[in-house]
Amino acid sequence: MKLRQIVRLIQINHVLAKHRLDDFIQATHLLRPLRYLSMLSPYRWRHKSDKPRSERLRLALQDLGPIFVKFGQILSTRRDLLPDDIADSLAKLQDQVEPFSNEQALAIIEQAYGKASLENIFSHIDQSPLASASIAQVHAARLIDGSDVVLKLVRPNIEKTIRSDVDLLHTLASLAERYWAEGKRLRPREVVAELEKNLFDELDMMREASSASQLQRNFSDGTLLYVPKINWQLTKTNILVQERIYGIPIGDIAQLKAHNVNLERLAEMGVEIFFTQAFKHGFFHADMHPGNIMVDVSDPEKPRYLAIDFGIMGTLSPTDKDYLADNFLAFFNHDYRRVAELHIESGWVPSDTRIDEFEAAIRSVCEPIFARPLQEISFGQLLLRLFQTARRFNMEVQPQLVLLQKTLLNIEGLGRQLYPELDLWKTAKPILEQWMQEKMSWQAALKNIKNEAPMWAETLPKLPRLLHDFVQKSQHQTSSQRSNSEFKQLKHEIRNAGFRCAGAVSGAAFIIGAAVIIGLDGYAPKMFAGIPILSWVLGLWGAMLLYTSLSDKN
């Protein structure tokens, strides 16, 4: 461990002592060897804070920097795991972190646009920030054309602070992986690398702007989620300029009730938005704490989510989406054997794992949570038991899914605040089933064929030459290595492979022809189920050829 990292540990200890959080020092194994240093802290002897413990904890996390603030933000959504006073105080970290000075904010803006040009761009800029978070703070402004916008400014010198703490985490992760029995399975270095990537992505406002634009396209109808428009002309790497939107913070339950908002519908919409983002789009808002979500209450029975702060976005590959969707549906259907099989097929647990034992372990963890309202489910206890199951079967942590897990915790926290009786599973199941049906439909298959057609058009003409080269190479290699009978058998197999390949090429060509006919005008004198008869004939004939050529073993 480097000297500056040891100094950072001492600093953490000092901050905890400064805010008189001695109990936390005693309870933290990493800091326990340093607890005697807290006795030497001048704050311990000169300051006796009368602030409540919740406020002292919030101030300590704020003093320790953005990584610790992020940790507090996540904790604030888990009221089932925290006392009410601590949860209420930590909730302020979502958008009430101590702001940097107005002079620094103005200097950032002047440096970006030039001091002389400001009066030609903005008619007004509020000096007091609308919100202040761990990475940036937001100021309201008005453009010369009268449009209301917000300016999101990255905190000055924040990158240096983040780099220092991330380096410390990398060191601690390496030590954990080397000396901790669970280190290799939990892959702490990869988890820290994922955290590092997300934190530094948040510092790039151009990246956040592009994420907002993509999310806006995904929800272009605006019925479920509205995303403010980005002013690309004024957005810089350290300044984001976007449309100002107005709504009630989703955490202000009293205001929502005063406007007669249908809270049950609002909670269900939150679940629908998450699963639509994750499984339909594969691109999701991964920082959905109450400070980043507002509600449009113009129609109380049909409220609409308003999203802000797109610094942390998650993505899922098609493989991840399919795997997770299959897992969720298997959970919803109580098919724990399928869950066990999926874990083994994906390589998340060793291939020699006994399916029956793994199935029984998963059932014992998950069965108690079904058919119960959200307010009666302790996801903290559930995660603890799943961790114990993972340790027993050597399940590896998947760093690429850390953001998804974090977002699920945020969604649960929102649902618990809005409508505690919400049945999360009952709400999510039809969404996933509809997505799976759409994915397996003939329309989806036809779309895939159309998408693959350009690649086929380029590859198919090359197949005869590739096949010829393969045959020549095989003949050359086997002539000196095999007996006459083996050589004849090989020639026979090659000839059959050629016939099967020709059949596959012909079948693919017929299917492409069917797709091209549909794509040309979509109409023919004779139609069936909205598709030209000729397309049906070519497609079925091509499918038969493909099936025959691929299934023929002789």
Side-chain angles (χ1 to χ4, degrees), residues 20 26 28 33 38 66 68 72 95 100 176 208 226 244 291 334 337 355 364 413 495 525 543-544:
R20 299 306 308 275
Q26 297 290 340
T28 305
S38 67
F68 296 88
D95 57 1
F100 51 87
E208 179 171 343
Y226 183 81
R244 184 176 183 182
H334 300 213
R337 185 171 187 83
I355 292 182
S364 67
R495 185 169 59 252
M544 185 179 68

mmCIF file of all heavy atoms in Angstrom, residues 20 26 28 33 38 66 68 72 95 100 176 208 226 244 291 334 337 355 364 413 495 525 543-544:
data_model
loop_
_atom_site.group_PDB
_atom_site.id
_atom_site.type_symbol
_atom_site.label_atom_id
_atom_site.label_comp_id
_atom_site.label_asym_id
_atom_site.label_seq_id
_atom_site.Cartn_x
_atom_site.Cartn_y
_atom_site.Cartn_z
ATOM 1 N N ARG A 20 -17.554 12.966 15.166
ATOM 2 C CA ARG A 20 -17.871 12.178 16.361
ATOM 3 C C ARG A 20 -18.624 10.892 16.025
ATOM 4 O O ARG A 20 -19.606 10.530 16.668
ATOM 5 C CB ARG A 20 -18.665 13.021 17.361
ATOM 6 C CG ARG A 20 -17.938 14.259 17.859
ATOM 7 C CD ARG A 20 -16.560 13.935 18.448
ATOM 8 N NE ARG A 20 -16.615 12.887 19.471
ATOM 9 C CZ ARG A 20 -16.886 13.132 20.756
ATOM 10 N NH1 ARG A 20 -17.075 14.379 21.165
ATOM 11 N NH2 ARG A 20 -16.924 12.146 21.616
ATOM 12 N N GLN A 26 -15.036 2.048 15.421
ATOM 13 C CA GLN A 26 -14.874 0.807 16.178
ATOM 14 C C GLN A 26 -15.430 -0.387 15.405
ATOM 15 O O GLN A 26 -14.907 -1.499 15.513
ATOM 16 C CB GLN A 26 -15.614 0.924 17.524
ATOM 17 C CG GLN A 26 -15.063 2.001 18.440
ATOM 18 C CD GLN A 26 -13.701 1.649 18.997
ATOM 19 O OE1 GLN A 26 -13.324 0.486 19.005
ATOM 20 N NE2 GLN A 26 -12.950 2.639 19.459
ATOM 21 N N THR A 28 -15.643 -0.717 12.038
ATOM 22 C CA THR A 28 -15.010 -0.945 10.749
ATOM 23 C C THR A 28 -13.673 -1.631 10.956
ATOM 24 O O THR A 28 -12.742 -1.044 11.498
ATOM 25 C CB THR A 28 -14.805 0.387 9.998
ATOM 26 O OG1 THR A 28 -16.072 1.048 9.898
ATOM 27 C CG2 THR A 28 -14.259 0.136 8.606
ATOM 28 N N PRO A 33 -7.416 -0.607 13.478
ATOM 29 C CA PRO A 33 -6.049 -0.353 13.961
ATOM 30 C C PRO A 33 -5.727 1.128 14.142
ATOM 31 O O PRO A 33 -4.783 1.474 14.844
ATOM 32 C CB PRO A 33 -5.178 -0.972 12.855
ATOM 33 C CG PRO A 33 -6.049 -1.994 12.215
ATOM 34 C CD PRO A 33 -7.420 -1.399 12.249
ATOM 35 N N SER A 38 -7.717 8.435 16.615
ATOM 36 C CA SER A 38 -8.845 9.339 16.827
ATOM 37 C C SER A 38 -8.787 9.994 18.196
ATOM 38 O O SER A 38 -9.324 11.085 18.398
ATOM 39 C CB SER A 38 -10.176 8.576 16.674
ATOM 40 O OG SER A 38 -10.324 7.635 17.724
ATOM 41 N N PRO A 66 -16.968 12.245 -3.466
ATOM 42 C CA PRO A 66 -18.059 11.754 -4.316
ATOM 43 C C PRO A 66 -18.332 10.261 -4.200
ATOM 44 O O PRO A 66 -19.483 9.844 -4.281
ATOM 45 C CB PRO A 66 -17.599 12.121 -5.739
ATOM 46 C CG PRO A 66 -16.139 12.374 -5.639
ATOM 47 C CD PRO A 66 -15.912 12.903 -4.256
ATOM 48 N N PHE A 68 -18.068 8.344 -1.571
ATOM 49 C CA PHE A 68 -18.800 8.119 -0.327
ATOM 50 C C PHE A 68 -20.204 8.717 -0.409
ATOM 51 O O PHE A 68 -21.153 8.178 0.154
ATOM 52 C CB PHE A 68 -18.021 8.712 0.848
ATOM 53 C CG PHE A 68 -16.704 8.047 1.088
ATOM 54 C CD1 PHE A 68 -15.559 8.479 0.438
ATOM 55 C CD2 PHE A 68 -16.610 6.959 1.935
ATOM 56 C CE1 PHE A 68 -14.333 7.866 0.643
ATOM 57 C CE2 PHE A 68 -15.397 6.332 2.155
ATOM 58 C CZ PHE A 68 -14.260 6.777 1.505
ATOM 59 N N GLY A 72 -23.820 6.813 0.081
ATOM 60 C CA GLY A 72 -24.924 7.311 0.896
ATOM 61 C C GLY A 72 -26.215 7.433 0.110
ATOM 62 O O GLY A 72 -27.308 7.178 0.640
ATOM 63 N N ASP A 95 -29.507 15.520 -3.800
ATOM 64 C CA ASP A 95 -29.443 16.782 -4.540
ATOM 65 C C ASP A 95 -29.172 17.976 -3.625
ATOM 66 O O ASP A 95 -29.402 19.113 -4.003
ATOM 67 C CB ASP A 95 -30.753 17.021 -5.309
ATOM 68 C CG ASP A 95 -31.981 17.029 -4.405
ATOM 69 O OD1 ASP A 95 -31.816 16.874 -3.184
ATOM 70 O OD2 ASP A 95 -33.095 17.177 -4.937
ATOM 71 N N PHE A 100 -20.479 24.364 -4.665
ATOM 72 C CA PHE A 100 -19.282 25.193 -4.756
ATOM 73 C C PHE A 100 -19.713 26.627 -5.023
ATOM 74 O O PHE A 100 -20.874 26.911 -5.335
ATOM 75 C CB PHE A 100 -18.304 24.678 -5.820
ATOM 76 C CG PHE A 100 -18.886 24.422 -7.175
ATOM 77 C CD1 PHE A 100 -18.971 25.435 -8.124
ATOM 78 C CD2 PHE A 100 -19.338 23.157 -7.533
ATOM 79 C CE1 PHE A 100 -19.487 25.207 -9.389
ATOM 80 C CE2 PHE A 100 -19.846 22.910 -8.801
ATOM 81 C CZ PHE A 100 -19.926 23.944 -9.726
ATOM 82 N N ALA A 176 -7.778 -7.801 -1.182
ATOM 83 C CA ALA A 176 -8.892 -8.703 -0.876
ATOM 84 C C ALA A 176 -8.852 -9.943 -1.762
ATOM 85 O O ALA A 176 -9.083 -11.071 -1.297
ATOM 86 C CB ALA A 176 -10.218 -7.962 -1.057
ATOM 87 N N GLU A 208 -22.942 12.313 -21.328
ATOM 88 C CA GLU A 208 -24.257 12.347 -20.689
ATOM 89 C C GLU A 208 -25.315 12.881 -21.646
ATOM 90 O O GLU A 208 -26.444 12.380 -21.687
ATOM 91 C CB GLU A 208 -24.209 13.205 -19.423
ATOM 92 C CG GLU A 208 -25.550 13.307 -18.722
ATOM 93 C CD GLU A 208 -25.482 13.971 -17.366
ATOM 94 O OE1 GLU A 208 -24.379 14.078 -16.804
ATOM 95 O OE2 GLU A 208 -26.552 14.370 -16.857
ATOM 96 N N TYR A 226 -40.575 11.100 -19.949
ATOM 97 C CA TYR A 226 -40.177 12.253 -20.758
ATOM 98 C C TYR A 226 -38.736 12.622 -20.419
ATOM 99 O O TYR A 226 -38.366 12.714 -19.250
ATOM 100 C CB TYR A 226 -41.091 13.455 -20.496
ATOM 101 C CG TYR A 226 -40.740 14.649 -21.369
ATOM 102 C CD1 TYR A 226 -41.189 14.722 -22.679
ATOM 103 C CD2 TYR A 226 -39.936 15.670 -20.873
ATOM 104 C CE1 TYR A 226 -40.859 15.805 -23.493
ATOM 105 C CE2 TYR A 226 -39.593 16.755 -21.682
ATOM 106 C CZ TYR A 226 -40.068 16.818 -22.984
ATOM 107 O OH TYR A 226 -39.720 17.887 -23.792
ATOM 108 N N ARG A 244 -35.343 22.988 -19.459
ATOM 109 C CA ARG A 244 -35.772 22.923 -18.063
ATOM 110 C C ARG A 244 -37.176 22.341 -18.011
ATOM 111 O O ARG A 244 -38.071 22.750 -18.753
ATOM 112 C CB ARG A 244 -35.761 24.310 -17.421
ATOM 113 C CG ARG A 244 -36.102 24.274 -15.925
ATOM 114 C CD ARG A 244 -36.004 25.631 -15.267
ATOM 115 N NE ARG A 244 -36.276 25.540 -13.844
ATOM 116 C CZ ARG A 244 -36.302 26.563 -13.001
ATOM 117 N NH1 ARG A 244 -36.033 27.791 -13.450
ATOM 118 N NH2 ARG A 244 -36.563 26.380 -11.722
ATOM 119 N N GLY A 291 -33.921 11.729 -6.259
ATOM 120 C CA GLY A 291 -33.447 13.038 -6.663
ATOM 121 C C GLY A 291 -33.375 13.223 -8.169
ATOM 122 O O GLY A 291 -33.267 14.352 -8.647
ATOM 123 N N HIS A 334 -41.913 -20.065 -10.904
ATOM 124 C CA HIS A 334 -41.440 -20.975 -9.862
ATOM 125 C C HIS A 334 -40.693 -22.165 -10.468
ATOM 126 O O HIS A 334 -40.684 -23.253 -9.881
ATOM 127 C CB HIS A 334 -42.603 -21.472 -8.995
ATOM 128 C CG HIS A 334 -43.349 -20.375 -8.301
ATOM 129 N ND1 HIS A 334 -43.913 -20.541 -7.055
ATOM 130 C CD2 HIS A 334 -43.641 -19.094 -8.653
ATOM 131 C CE1 HIS A 334 -44.516 -19.417 -6.680
ATOM 132 N NE2 HIS A 334 -44.358 -18.529 -7.642
ATOM 133 N N ARG A 337 -35.682 -25.242 -11.342
ATOM 134 C CA ARG A 337 -34.752 -26.101 -12.066
ATOM 135 C C ARG A 337 -34.227 -25.384 -13.312
ATOM 136 O O ARG A 337 -33.037 -25.474 -13.628
ATOM 137 C CB ARG A 337 -35.417 -27.422 -12.470
ATOM 138 C CG ARG A 337 -34.426 -28.391 -13.119
ATOM 139 C CD ARG A 337 -35.016 -29.768 -13.329
ATOM 140 N NE ARG A 337 -34.021 -30.709 -13.801
ATOM 141 C CZ ARG A 337 -33.173 -31.372 -13.044
ATOM 142 N NH1 ARG A 337 -33.206 -31.192 -11.731
ATOM 143 N NH2 ARG A 337 -32.292 -32.207 -13.553
ATOM 144 N N ILE A 355 -27.399 -30.129 -10.394
ATOM 145 C CA ILE A 355 -28.564 -29.286 -10.653
ATOM 146 C C ILE A 355 -29.609 -29.439 -9.551
ATOM 147 O O ILE A 355 -30.224 -28.455 -9.117
ATOM 148 C CB ILE A 355 -29.176 -29.621 -12.029
ATOM 149 C CG1 ILE A 355 -28.213 -29.200 -13.143
ATOM 150 C CG2 ILE A 355 -30.524 -28.933 -12.208
ATOM 151 C CD1 ILE A 355 -28.752 -29.439 -14.540
ATOM 152 N N SER A 364 -35.291 -22.554 -1.789
ATOM 153 C CA SER A 364 -35.372 -22.173 -0.377
ATOM 154 C C SER A 364 -35.184 -20.674 -0.184
ATOM 155 O O SER A 364 -35.686 -20.100 0.782
ATOM 156 C CB SER A 364 -34.323 -22.936 0.430
ATOM 157 O OG SER A 364 -33.005 -22.530 0.066
ATOM 158 N N GLY A 413 -36.789 0.755 -3.783
ATOM 159 C CA GLY A 413 -36.942 1.864 -2.846
ATOM 160 C C GLY A 413 -38.060 2.807 -3.252
ATOM 161 O O GLY A 413 -38.854 3.252 -2.417
ATOM 162 N N ARG A 495 -18.249 -34.863 -50.627
ATOM 163 C CA ARG A 495 -19.279 -34.711 -51.658
ATOM 164 C C ARG A 495 -20.649 -34.470 -51.024
ATOM 165 O O ARG A 495 -21.414 -33.602 -51.451
ATOM 166 C CB ARG A 495 -19.308 -35.952 -52.539
ATOM 167 C CG ARG A 495 -20.278 -35.818 -53.702
ATOM 168 C CD ARG A 495 -20.114 -36.925 -54.731
ATOM 169 N NE ARG A 495 -20.320 -38.242 -54.140
ATOM 170 C CZ ARG A 495 -19.357 -39.133 -53.905
ATOM 171 N NH1 ARG A 495 -18.097 -38.824 -54.215
ATOM 172 N NH2 ARG A 495 -19.623 -40.301 -53.361
ATOM 173 N N PRO A 525 -51.255 -9.292 -56.018
ATOM 174 C CA PRO A 525 -52.684 -9.599 -56.275
ATOM 175 C C PRO A 525 -53.225 -10.664 -55.341
ATOM 176 O O PRO A 525 -54.377 -10.610 -54.944
ATOM 177 C CB PRO A 525 -52.666 -10.055 -57.736
ATOM 178 C CG PRO A 525 -51.456 -9.408 -58.328
ATOM 179 C CD PRO A 525 -50.450 -9.371 -57.224
ATOM 180 N N ALA A 543 -37.129 -22.822 -46.603
ATOM 181 C CA ALA A 543 -37.020 -23.388 -45.257
ATOM 182 C C ALA A 543 -36.879 -24.902 -45.310
ATOM 183 O O ALA A 543 -36.114 -25.503 -44.546
ATOM 184 C CB ALA A 543 -38.242 -22.994 -44.423
ATOM 185 N N MET A 544 -37.635 -25.552 -46.247
ATOM 186 C CA MET A 544 -37.541 -26.999 -46.378
ATOM 187 C C MET A 544 -36.142 -27.423 -46.844
ATOM 188 O O MET A 544 -35.562 -28.382 -46.331
ATOM 189 C CB MET A 544 -38.599 -27.504 -47.359
ATOM 190 C CG MET A 544 -38.653 -29.031 -47.466
ATOM 191 S SD MET A 544 -39.922 -29.588 -48.604
ATOM 192 C CE MET A 544 -39.229 -29.013 -50.154
#
